[in-house]
């Protein structure tokens, strides 16, 4: 499917358009100027299927908010389904680059997919602005053409456990459940690091496969170990399943904590009594009090039901940041945009933003929320309150990124 639509038509029908894939949208046709093509290589099927359409919604709003143009060139968004599979993601990136002139792309909701796509980005000189949770994006597999929008897993774990230590000083023993792929491995690694830094004791961990549907055996081990905290180093549908099943164990004395576990997009899938009191790290929360976020939430709620979550915010803020970098560089050439991102500072949806040029990790705030009981909720989307914010970055001594190569 291919279409060229006006900004007004986009704003009237973004939701229905983004439900289709593959999708091509262009705005602001400007005297035959060459379009700037940004790819959304995202999952529409699999464990993270919910994310694809939401990322597209946010990205479309970011383009529309700037009149559909950058530097007098029309901006075109195209979407491709990576199916949550690395081989498929690589193929989709290669196809979009060769057939559609794509030079910039988002996606990587699965770290395994994004890391595979990063290899293509380096080889083909495509700018990738990723959202996976693996430290390898800005660590051992860093590259000049890959940037990481999401927080580093060290930041996520440190922010979350720092709040737990302050709010629940009596809770010291942790049992973790970790997704058995690069995302969960990174969170587990930094759970071990931060637990030692802050005086927690990790009394056990079990890894589970992606797509697990039966957590009973894992949770039985958790309850038997009698920890103070169940620490969920997993996300998406797996996290929802684990929490639902844990609620039937009657182990209320064990606090459920997740450094990067559930976003606003998944919280409605849990009954209020299941999520009440949970402490969750958040890459994004709609109550963030910044001018850019207030504008984003307003735009989103005008076009879609409910409050935006992590996926939509990522799509919006990453595309917005790329367009700002093009304006900073006065160019839409990939090399110039890479250099601009490495040096600029800007006010993003999350707050003050910059990029560490040595690793390409976006330096940004990370948020911790406490989920509310039903009686505390002001409305159906008032899931939680922000209780802590952190900008603490990964210690340089723990980073495995070698010197960035030349462009």
């Amino acid at each position: 499917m291919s279409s060229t639509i006006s900004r007004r038509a986009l704003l009237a029908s973004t939701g229905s358009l983004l439900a289709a894939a593959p999708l091509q949208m262009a705005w602001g046709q400007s005297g035959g100027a060459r379009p700037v093509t940004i790819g959304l290589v995202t999952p529409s099927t699999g464990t993270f299927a919910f994310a694809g359409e939401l990322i597209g919604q946010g990205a479309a709003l970011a383009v529309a908010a700037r009149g559909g143009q950058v530097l007098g060139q029309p901006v075109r968004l195209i979407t491709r389904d990576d199916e949550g599979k690395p081989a498929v993601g690589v193929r989709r990136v290669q196809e979009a680059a060769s057939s559609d002139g794509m030079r910039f792309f988002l996606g990587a909701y699965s770290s395994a997919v994004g890391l595979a796509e990063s290899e293509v980005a380096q080889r083909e000189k495509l700018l990738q602005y990723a959202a996976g949770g693996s430290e390898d994006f800005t660590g051992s597999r860093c590259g000049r053409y890959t940037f990481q929008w999401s927080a580093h897993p060290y930041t996520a774990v440190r922010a979350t456990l720092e709040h737990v230590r302050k709010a629940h000083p009596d809770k010291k023993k942790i049992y973790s459940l970790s997704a058995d792929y690069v995302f969960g491995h990174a969170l587990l690694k930094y759970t071990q690091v931060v637990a030692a830094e802050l005086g927690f004791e990790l009394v056990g961990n079990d890894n589970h496969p992606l797509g697990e549907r039966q957590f009973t055996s894992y949770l039985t081990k958790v309850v038997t170990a009698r920890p103070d905290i169940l620490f969920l180093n997993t996300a998406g549908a797996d996290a929802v399943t684990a929490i639902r099943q844990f609620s039937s164990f009657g182990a209320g004395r064990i606090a459920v904590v997740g450094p990067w576990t559930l976003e606003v997009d998944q919280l409605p899938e849990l009954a209020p009594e299941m999520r009440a009191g949970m402490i969750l790290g958040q890459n994004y929360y709609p109550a963030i009090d910044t001018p850019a976020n207030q504008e984003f939430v307003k735009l989103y709620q005008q076009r879609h039901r409910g409050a935006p979550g992590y996926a939509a915010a990522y799509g919006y803020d990453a595309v917005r940041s790329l367009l700002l970098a093009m304006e900073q560089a006065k160019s839409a050439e990939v090399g110039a945009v890479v250099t601009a991102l490495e040096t600029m500072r800007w006010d993003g949806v999350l707050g003050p933003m910059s990029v560490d040029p040595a690793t390409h990790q976006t330096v940004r705030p990370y948020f911790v929320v406490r989920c509310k009981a039903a009686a505390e909720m002001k409305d159906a989307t008032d899931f939680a309150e922000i209780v802590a914010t952190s900008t603490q970055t990964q210690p340089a001594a723990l980073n495995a990124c070698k010197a960035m190569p030349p462009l």
Side-chain angles (χ1 to χ4, degrees):
M1 170 183 169
S2 176
S3 65
T4 301
I5 61 180
S6 69
R7 183 184 179 200
R8 179 175 296 177
L10 165 78
L11 293 178
S13 58
T14 297
S16 59
L17 283 168
L18 286 169
L23 167 70
Q24 299 187 43
M25 297 181 292
W27 297 263
Q29 300 300 328
S30 181
R34 181 167 59 92
V36 176
T37 301
I38 301 175
L40 311 177
V41 187
T42 58
S44 298
T45 52
T47 300
F48 299 110
F50 70 91
E53 181 177 352
L54 296 172
I55 292 171
Q57 289 175 355
L61 287 174
V63 174
R66 303 185 75 80
Q69 298 186 39
V70 63
L71 303 174
Q73 296 174 247
V75 177
R76 181 171 66 142
L77 294 179
I78 61 173
T79 69
R80 298 293 183 269
D81 180 13
D82 64 29
E83 301 178 20
K85 301 174 182 177
V88 176
V90 165
R91 187 165 67 249
R92 297 287 188 255
V93 170
Q94 291 172 331
E95 291 169 352
S98 61
S99 301
D100 297 292
M102 181 193 77
R103 308 306 297 168
F104 307 87
F105 71 99
L106 278 63
Y109 217 77
S110 161
S111 296
V113 175
L115 288 168
E117 293 169 348
S118 177
E119 302 298 325
V120 181
Q122 311 319 307
R123 184 173 68 246
E124 302 295 334
K125 301 185 186 305
L126 311 174
L127 196 159
Q128 176 192 32
Y129 211 163
S134 172
E135 66 171 330
D136 293 343
F137 285 106
T138 57
S140 62
R141 296 172 67 175
C142 65
R144 192 69 187 273
Y145 295 92
T146 292
F147 293 79
Q148 173 72 319
W149 182 85
S150 303
H152 191 278
Y154 175 88
T155 301
V157 174
R158 177 84 190 202
T160 305
L161 284 179
E162 277 189 343
H163 174 71
V164 171
R165 185 174 66 168
K166 292 176 182 177
H168 303 285
D170 57 321
K171 295 188 180 297
K172 297 292 187 183
K173 295 182 178 180
I174 295 173
Y175 199 113
S176 58
L177 293 181
S178 305
D180 196 9
Y181 75 112
V182 288
F183 167 70
H185 297 168
L187 289 176
L188 175 59
K189 172 183 174 179
Y190 289 106
T191 299
Q192 295 165 335
V193 170
V194 174
E197 290 176 347
L198 299 181
F200 290 93
E201 178 186 0
L202 185 61
V203 298
N205 173 76
D206 283 307
N207 293 340
H208 70 81
L210 193 64
E212 180 65 78
R213 289 296 173 263
Q214 185 49 260
F215 283 86
T216 302
S217 61
Y218 304 113
L219 297 172
T220 299
K221 291 176 65 177
V222 171
V223 173
T224 301
R226 298 181 63 80
D228 301 311
I229 299 164
L230 170 58
F231 204 68
L232 293 172
N233 290 324
T234 188
D238 291 350
V240 170
T241 301
I243 293 167
R244 282 176 175 166
Q245 293 178 11
F246 186 65
S247 69
S248 68
F249 275 73
R253 58 166 293 277
I254 301 176
V256 178
V257 178
W260 191 325
T261 302
L262 292 174
E263 308 288 344
V264 172
D265 310 313
Q266 294 93 49
L267 287 175
E269 299 180 41
L270 295 173
E273 61 270 19
M274 292 180 183
R275 61 179 185 249
M278 282 197 307
I279 295 172
L280 300 173
Q282 301 281 282
N283 273 286
Y284 171 80
Y285 196 72
I288 295 168
D289 187 17
T290 67
N293 186 54
Q294 291 169 358
E295 176 68 12
F296 167 53
V297 172
K298 178 182 176 181
L299 289 172
Y300 190 88
Q301 291 182 331
Q302 287 173 349
R303 313 302 169 201
H304 308 288
R305 290 184 177 182
Y310 169 38
Y314 160 57
Y316 180 88
D317 200 57
V319 168
R320 179 179 181 271
S321 299
L322 287 174
L323 298 179
L324 286 172
M326 292 174 195
E327 292 178 343
Q328 174 83 5
K330 298 181 173 56
S331 171
E333 296 300 317
V334 171
V337 179
V338 166
T339 301
L341 277 175
E342 290 174 336
T343 57
M344 63 187 256
R345 295 178 180 274
W346 69 101
D347 291 323
V349 164
L350 308 172
M353 309 271 282
S354 63
V355 168
D356 180 349
T359 66
H360 283 188
Q361 171 66 54
T362 300
V363 181
R364 29 84 32 102
Y366 194 74
F367 308 90
V368 181
V369 303
R370 180 191 65 84
C371 292
K372 296 181 178 181
E376 298 177 89
M377 296 173 62
K378 298 176 184 177
D379 55 54
T381 62
D382 184 26
F383 302 113
E385 62 174 336
I386 297 174
V387 292
T389 303
S390 176
T391 57
Q392 186 159 351
T393 58
Q394 178 199 32
L398 299 178
N399 186 272
C401 181
K402 298 179 181 178
M404 286 286 180
L407 290 169

